[in-house]
Amino acid sequence: MKVDEHQLCWYFYPTCFFPSELYISQCELYNDDMNEDLKEMLESNKESLKLEAMKRVVGLIAKGKNASELFPAVVKNVANKNIELKKLVYVYLVRYAEEQQDLALLSISTFQRALKDPNQFIRASALRVLSSIRVPIIVPIMMLAIKESAADMSPYVRKTSAHAIQKLYSLDPDQKEQLIEVIEKLLKDKSTLVAGSVVMAFEEVCPDRIDLIHKNYRKLCNLLVDVEEWGQVVIISMLTRYARTQFISPWKEGAMFDENNEKAFYDSESEEKKDQMEAKTYIMDPDHRLLLRNTKPLLQSRNTAVVMSVAQLYWHLAPKHEVTIVTKSLVRLLRSHREVQYIVLQNIATMSIQRKGMFEPFMKSFYVRSTDSTHIKTLKLEILTNLANEANISTILREFQTYVKSQDKAFAAATIQAIGRCATNISEVTDTCLNGLVLLLSNRDETVVAESVVVIKKLLQTQPTQHSEIIKHMAKLFDNITVPMARASILWLMGEYCERVPKIAPDVLRKMAKTFTAEEDIVKLQIVNLAAKLYLTNSKQTKLLTQYILNLGKYDQNYDIRDRTRFIRQLIVPSEKSGALNKYARRILLAPKPAPVLESAFKDRDRYQLGTLSHSLNTKASGYQELSDWPAVAPDQSVRNVEVIEPVKEWAPLVGKAKQRKSDEKFYSDEEEEKEEEGSDSSGSEDSSSSSSSSGEALCLFVCLKVYVFCLVTFILFRVTTPSFGPVKTYELLHHMTGKGLSAKYHFPRQPCLYQPSMVAVQVVLTNSSDHSLEEIHIGDRNPASLNLHCFNTIERLEPEASVTVSMGIDFSDSTQAANFQLCTKDDQFSVSIQPAVGELFMPITMTEQDFSKEQGKLLGMNETSETIAMATANTSSQAISKQVLSVANVGVVSSTQNDIHRFAGRTVSSGALVLVSLEMKESSSALLTINTEKSVMASMLLRDLKQALAQA
Amino acid sequence: MIHSLFLINHSGDIFLEKHWKSVIGRSVCDYFFEAKEKAVQPENVPPVLQTPHHYLISVYRDKLFFLSVVQTEVPPLFVIEFLHRVADTVQDYFGECSEGVIKDNVVTVYELLEEMLDNGFPLATESNVLKEMIRPPTILRSVVNTLTGGSNVGDTLPTGQLSSIPWRRAGVKYTNNEAYFDVIEEIDAILDKSGTTVFAEIQGVIEACVRLTGMPDLTLSFMNPRLLDDMSFHPCVRFKRWESERILSFIPPDGNFTLMTYHVSSQNVVALPVYVKQNISFLETGSCGRLDITIGPKQTMGKTVEGLTVTVHMPKTVLSANLTATQGNYTYNLATKVLVWDIGKLNPQKLPNLRGSLSLQAGAPRPEENPALDITLKIQQLAISGLKVSRLDMYGEKYKPFKGVKYLTKAGKFQVRT
């Protein structure tokens, strides 16, 4: 080891050993030596030395230096236990495997082994590296690994497999068909973790297979809010394309006319109004509406890319009057980084051409600051010009006046162009603009003057009659103007309108004849032009001058000018050779010319989807997916229908997510859906009763006592009741296909749990649908391990076709987090999970109206959640209300003296917190729903469930 | 999506490169250097460039270019946002984002980049998740690591990525539980020559520093939420709850984060804390000019205006400035032609004034436009819009946290045209 240390020093101070003049030649030597050195360090058996070496190797890679020689030494460490070392080796491997294919194969078996590791992170990272190794020979291994990982029970591994799909596809496009199968499977995944990545894979591999999206469309819409931000961008842009193929245009004439109705429909978010709209010409597909509704909250995202993608979705999909909701958010993005501003301004520029009204109220946000960078300034100017109309033009012109004086001359020139555009677009201000521009002609800066001349020229063309004064003025200034473009423009004007300035034009030509040889080429061309035009209109005065100029042009160095001179001479000077054209010379040269149209550079950018790279560059980027036109007739809507109860995915035999979602609207991903394994035990509330699973008689006794006291107290205060009425919903726990014949269903009997009062009772019906008897059915490992669960006694034997009902108790700790456990038979284990609806986490209590009001008084402020909800007409009777409320939540009815107020009371099972629900009927089938409880999260979930139930007939 | 990343310093050296797919040669950056040459100022380099086979999307931050190479269609904002996130992460880990820091921690940065993207698609960008996988360096740890040969890669695996609360790491423990919120408002304004407001608006941001044990569930409510017009939230904020109740309800990430940014509705008239009287003139002859600036308090709500500075970007022809300031110091940078007058605290009794003469390059024409003044200022303990936090509550945990809210008003892009 001593030697190594020594060499290490040597590496750090190599130059000490060499005289500096030899340095260059030594450098290569030193490189080799250094590699030798690193090799030795890598092959040593001291971890820290290896790590140090790997760090230096990665440093080399980061600097872009070649470190491929070390491959054999590095690859040996691929199975090292040290995580950091291993990670660095992975980095190296991915970088150089392509160059050292044979050696890279040595590492493959390590990854194959790691793919079977019980730890999901190790599986995922193995797949990540394996799929990043671009060695064609392992394509079949990758394919197998992807297929297996796509059915993994960890959503994280499935996400990684979605990424791997893209890598494999770019390595070997022939695998496309097989990969599409995997994508199809993964698209069905319900995890928010997977959604973004699989859609990305879909976009890369098979963006045209729109048919794969149908069945997953609604799910994607509903998951969207909870997908991570990068996934949201990808999903939104894919759904934009999808929607353009599947729905009919909301922009038809009829759409405007049912605007109000549309709004109401949107606000109430209920499906009832559909009937009223039936009569109208255009009805938006509910799925179309779903997409618009679910993307709207994302406008508030902190991620600018998400906001932009929602904005473009609304722009391309929403009815015209709804697009305006994106304005504010887009303007907000202008506060962000310079680069973000740049892209957003580009998009606003395109939008503002078609829809002035959208951004007009925010006009001042586009005012230019002297500290903005040039391209931001130009874009802001573009937008201001687009927004100009009769009403705001005076404000804009005043603002422009400031800009013209800017020290940034390129920007000043752009402003003059913009003034020109305003002048042509708004006829009221043409004169004002023109006068302003003429004033600028005496500006000291050449670029400003030149630009003004050019713009004036264009403006005069639109209305030449009144403006001979301006032309005269320009002729006066001519001597002082040196910018060729401006000189050329003035000369062209003189020639074009020479009849209006009959005295000046020949004089200008005289001057030009003097300086002809010193002029720039574009000026020379215009001199020839002017000469020709004057020859035709005023040959008496200018004949000789023209001859002279044509002679000069004949011997010019530039062939364009010689060419033009020859052509003009033939055209205007009659000779025996010149043919019929001569007669028409006047009509050719002095033909009335259409005025140029000054228009925005962003005029036809809308052919590209907003927010895309293609839009930003204004050329089609490779891989750009064209946005199709709306179909004339809506394709079949039913393709998106999915059965309400999804069968357990047969491709993921171990994922027992047989829970039924009552509502698709989510609240934070509906509380930890993904915690199938190794989920952090976050919400474990430290109730005294929940620790009773621990051993020790004394403790047991103590707990029992506590429970007893607790029960007693509740009994005395409010009697806990068993509901007289409770609809029973059955959920699937294990499908017989996945359970190899064993199927299980569960329901909440809504009875106090016999085992512990903090548990929720669950009844499970186990059925044997196989042809042999099943033995030793029992509950195995649970997850999280601290899950407090009362198991049923082991069922020794279940005959074919027989079924048995068992009861369990689960302490959900007042959260809707799923309880995951394994259902085992003698030979197999099946992971299953029970996720309770929030309403099942209560137990009903009876109390008097007075008590209710008293308790409610204590739970105000933060503990109160209320909302005005819409009631279905069928639900207005008190009986119906009770039925609906009780179907959602296990609460008790509090008898009421007031007819229009309905009260329900309950306690949370685990912590015993009071939950008070009151429903105050208002006129026109709406009601104020108030929930008072300390558990605000549960309250809002309950509110949501109740709201939905009461809105349904 | 993102193929490669190059980090380029101010003078155009590539000092770090990372490829997520096959390797792309450095020569691709030549197109960028060409554009950089052309743009003169680094801020003027177009963020999106097209080359024959690739597209280059770059951001310029802290004197560094983050240049990414993409090959196919991708929303440019997606890449830009990500690149800024990279810069943020470096800043978050090492306290600053500079060439020196990145070079010193090149392995950590490389590991971070490896975790942040998989095949060019963002994988883990949340600071809390990253910090669980790759621990930020601390002095203590680097000492311990050198002694024991330990590593800065976390040996526990990140759970945050799996939960539906990816922004918060699990198992957070503190002895002192505290939650601080800074309400920072910036006034953006353009005043014209005569001092009338051309444009003024208030943008706010709530920065939070939350160090709480376990999984706290916080709610923050305002006295006057109606002031808020448009906002964006950290993903932790429950949007539904805000929509229905105007209450911010969230499980916070651990550490520092931006809870929300907002825009104050434009109906409210913006109170400007200072007024500026200025007179800058350049004489027609004699190549000199005069400058006279006075700043006074306007609507300060009884608070003191601090950190007042005035920055003037002088025309190129101004050679030197001979001025006297009644308060504070002024500097004139001859190379950049920037005059900075650092005033400090504003004394309402004795208004600060800067006056004197400017000398211009002989023979040069008189500058046409007077330079604009950029003003910065700070007012402690005041949110200029009047926004007030009414209460902060914590649920889900039993202990009593220490809570605090601070207000600060700053000048954002505050420009006076002259």
Side-chain angles (χ1 to χ4, degrees), chain B residues 155-168:
Chain B
D155 37 15
T156 51
L157 294 154
T159 45
Q161 247 172 338
L162 300 177
S163 74
S164 60
I165 313 174
W167 54 84
R168 187 171 179 88

Side-chain angles (χ1 to χ4, degrees), chain A residues 48 51 55 58-59 61-64 83-84 87-88 91 95 98 119-121 128 134 156 159 163 166-167 193 197 200 229-231 233-234 297 300-305 308 328-329 332 335 337-344 364-365 367-371 373-375 399 402-403 405-407 409 443-445 611-614 616-617 619 621-624 665 667-669 672 674-675 678 680 682 862-863 865 934 937, chain B residues 1 16-17 21-23 26 43-48 50 55 57-61 71-78 80-82 84-85 106-107 110-111 114-115 117-119 121-123 125-126 149 151-153 155 157-159 161-165 167 170 186 188-190 198-199 203 215 217 219 229-236 238-241 245 250-251 313-315 365-366 368-369 372 374 393 395 413 415 417:
Chain A
S48 58
L51 191 60
K55 280 186 176 171
V58 169
I61 296 175
K63 284 195 204 97
I83 293 187
E84 182 166 27
K87 273 193 181 170
L88 295 175
V91 167
R95 170 68 182 75
E98 213 169 354
N119 184 322
Q120 53 177 339
F121 283 101
R128 226 182 118 185
R134 288 170 294 273
Y156 185 67
K159 180 190 178 78
H163 287 235
Q166 304 161 51
K167 299 181 207 168
L193 216 53
S197 301
M200 189 63 226
E229 44 197 356
W230 310 106
V233 178
V234 177
Q300 256 62 50
S301 171
R302 67 166 168 176
N303 187 320
T304 57
M308 187 66 232
K328 254 188 212 169
S329 306
R332 184 185 71 228
R335 285 275 304 171
H337 298 284
R338 194 171 42 85
E339 296 84 8
V340 175
Q341 285 182 39
Y342 175 72
I343 304 292
V344 174
K364 288 188 172 172
S365 303
Y367 278 10
V368 174
R369 292 160 200 280
S370 56
T371 41
S373 64
T374 309
H375 46 251
E399 189 64 20
T402 329
Y403 302 165
K405 285 190 242 149
S406 164
Q407 291 174 29
K409 290 305 163 197
N443 194 297
R444 243 169 308 137
D445 191 88
T612 58
L613 185 62
S614 305
S616 182
L617 292 166
T619 52
S622 67
Y624 174 74
E665 259 181 83
F667 179 87
Y668 257 21
S669 205
E672 289 91 66
E674 323 317 337
K675 297 197 174 168
E678 294 177 24
S680 58
S682 52
M862 282 304 307
N863 296 326
T865 314
E934 289 166 10
V937 179
Chain B
M1 291 194 127
L16 189 141
E17 61 178 74
K21 301 183 186 184
S22 50
V23 179
R26 287 182 169 210
E43 286 87 6
N44 286 346
V45 181
V48 185
Q50 190 178 13
Y55 306 97
I57 301 181
S58 63
V59 305
Y60 179 66
R61 244 180 85 166
Q71 272 187 316
T72 49
E73 171 65 55
V74 58
L77 267 187
F78 185 99
I80 288 170
E81 178 82 27
F82 176 79
H84 278 296
R85 216 50 88 73
V106 69
V107 175
Y110 216 73
E111 282 168 341
E114 181 74 26
E115 292 301 336
L117 284 184
D118 183 15
N119 195 35
F121 189 79
L123 192 64
T125 49
E126 282 297 337
S151 69
N152 58 344
V153 167
D155 37 15
L157 294 154
T159 45
Q161 247 172 338
L162 300 177
S163 74
S164 60
I165 313 174
W167 54 84
E186 293 193 357
D188 286 359
I190 302 177
V198 177
F199 164 73
Q203 308 279 353
M215 272 288 163
D217 197 332
T219 57
D229 180 36
D230 178 57
M231 46 264 137
S232 70
F233 299 114
H234 190 274
C236 69
R238 297 178 176 105
F239 183 68
K240 289 254 154 72
R241 188 98 191 265
E245 300 169 60
F250 55 98
I251 293 174
H313 291 262
M314 288 290 180
R366 191 170 68 99
E368 250 164 274
E369 188 200 30
D374 287 306
D393 297 292
Y395 303 90
K413 298 175 182 164
Q415 198 163 70
R417 291 174 177 168

Side-chain angles (χ1 to χ4, degrees), chain A residues 708-939:
Chain A
Y708 175 70
V709 171
F710 172 78
C711 290
L712 215 66
V713 169
T714 21
F715 249 87
I716 293 164
L717 281 177
F718 320 104
R719 200 163 56 84
V720 176
T721 56
T722 47
S724 51
F725 158 82
V728 177
K729 272 187 202 157
T730 307
Y731 306 88
E732 182 147 84
L733 188 62
L734 183 67
H735 192 261
H736 68 88
M737 290 300 283
T738 26
K740 299 191 182 162
L742 178 67
S743 75
K745 288 186 160 70
Y746 68 95
H747 64 268
F748 297 98
R750 294 193 169 181
Q751 280 159 353
C753 183
L754 298 171
Y755 315 108
Q756 258 175 46
S758 67
M759 285 182 173
V760 177
V762 182
Q763 282 195 341
V764 182
V765 183
L766 298 163
T767 312
N768 182 359
S769 35
S770 68
D771 47 6
H772 55 333
S773 56
L774 295 165
E775 289 176 17
E776 284 180 36
I777 302 170
H778 63 281
I779 287 176
D781 294 341
R782 49 197 89 164
N783 186 20
S786 58
L787 178 70
N788 195 4
L789 187 99
H790 189 280
C791 315
F792 52 85
N793 294 332
T794 304
I795 298 161
E796 293 301 341
R797 194 178 177 81
L798 191 62
E799 296 300 332
E801 301 305 321
S803 68
V804 58
T805 306
V806 291
S807 10
M808 302 171 57
I810 302 174
D811 186 352
F812 287 105
S813 309
D814 290 350
S815 92
T816 50
Q817 194 180 340
N820 300 311
F821 54 89
Q822 284 187 321
L823 200 58
C824 309
T825 63
K826 195 179 175 189
D827 313 308
D828 295 295
Q829 300 183 335
F830 310 103
S831 292
V832 293
S833 78
I834 293 182
Q835 185 175 36
V838 67
E840 304 297 347
L841 301 176
F842 305 125
M843 53 189 174
I845 49 176
T846 48
M847 61 203 298
T848 61
E849 204 175 343
Q850 288 80 17
D851 283 336
F852 187 95
S853 315
K854 206 174 86 193
E855 291 297 327
Q856 199 174 25
K858 292 182 196 163
L859 292 167
L860 292 178
M862 282 304 307
N863 296 326
E864 184 172 276
T865 314
S866 66
E867 192 178 329
T868 308
I869 59 166
M871 304 273 288
T873 36
N875 282 346
T876 40
S877 74
S878 69
Q879 212 166 17
I881 287 173
S882 300
K883 187 181 155 203
Q884 288 295 355
V885 172
L886 293 181
S887 76
V888 169
N890 189 11
V891 286
V893 183
V894 176
S895 57
S896 173
T897 47
Q898 291 151 287
N899 260 339
D900 51 350
I901 301 185
H902 305 274
R903 297 191 171 91
F904 305 90
R907 280 188 178 283
T908 62
V909 172
S910 187
S911 61
L914 264 185
V915 179
L916 306 175
V917 179
S918 54
L919 188 71
E920 190 179 344
M921 301 301 291
K922 298 262 176 70
E923 63 279 6
S924 70
S925 72
S926 75
L928 181 71
L929 179 61
T930 312
I931 298 175
N932 301 70
T933 177
E934 289 166 10
K935 303 270 173 185
S936 59
V937 179
M938 293 179 87

Side-chain angles (χ1 to χ4, degrees), chain A residues 114-179:
Chain A
L115 281 171
K116 302 266 188 286
D117 197 281
N119 184 322
Q120 53 177 339
F121 283 101
I122 295 181
R123 291 202 299 277
S125 95
L127 180 63
R128 226 182 118 185
V129 183
L130 179 69
S131 55
S132 299
I133 296 176
R134 288 170 294 273
V135 178
I137 221 166
I138 61 164
V139 164
I141 298 178
M142 272 197 218
M143 193 69 221
L144 207 67
I146 289 172
K147 277 187 178 163
E148 253 170 47
S149 307
D152 199 284
M153 58 206 244
S154 153
Y156 185 67
V157 177
R158 298 203 295 274
K159 180 190 178 78
T160 317
S161 78
H163 287 235
I165 290 173
Q166 304 161 51
K167 299 181 207 168
L168 180 54
Y169 179 65
S170 66
L171 183 65
D172 182 6
D174 293 343
Q175 304 294 321
K176 189 172 174 177
E177 286 314 311
Q178 286 197 59
L179 287 174

Side-chain angles (χ1 to χ4, degrees), chain B residues 67-132:
Chain B
L67 173 73
S68 68
V69 184
V70 298
Q71 272 187 316
T72 49
E73 171 65 55
V74 58
L77 267 187
F78 185 99
V79 183
I80 288 170
E81 178 82 27
F82 176 79
L83 293 177
H84 278 296
R85 216 50 88 73
V86 172
D88 290 340
T89 309
V90 172
Q91 170 101 36
D92 187 31
Y93 262 73
F94 311 113
E96 62 166 328
C97 179
S98 69
E99 187 186 356
V101 152
I102 293 175
K103 275 183 167 170
D104 289 347
N105 298 289
V106 69
V107 175
T108 314
V109 172
Y110 216 73
E111 282 168 341
L112 279 172
L113 290 174
E114 181 74 26
E115 292 301 336
M116 288 178 88
L117 284 184
D118 183 15
N119 195 35
F121 189 79
L123 192 64
T125 49
E126 282 297 337
S127 151
N128 266 246
V129 173
L130 285 171
K131 280 186 177 163
E132 265 186 284

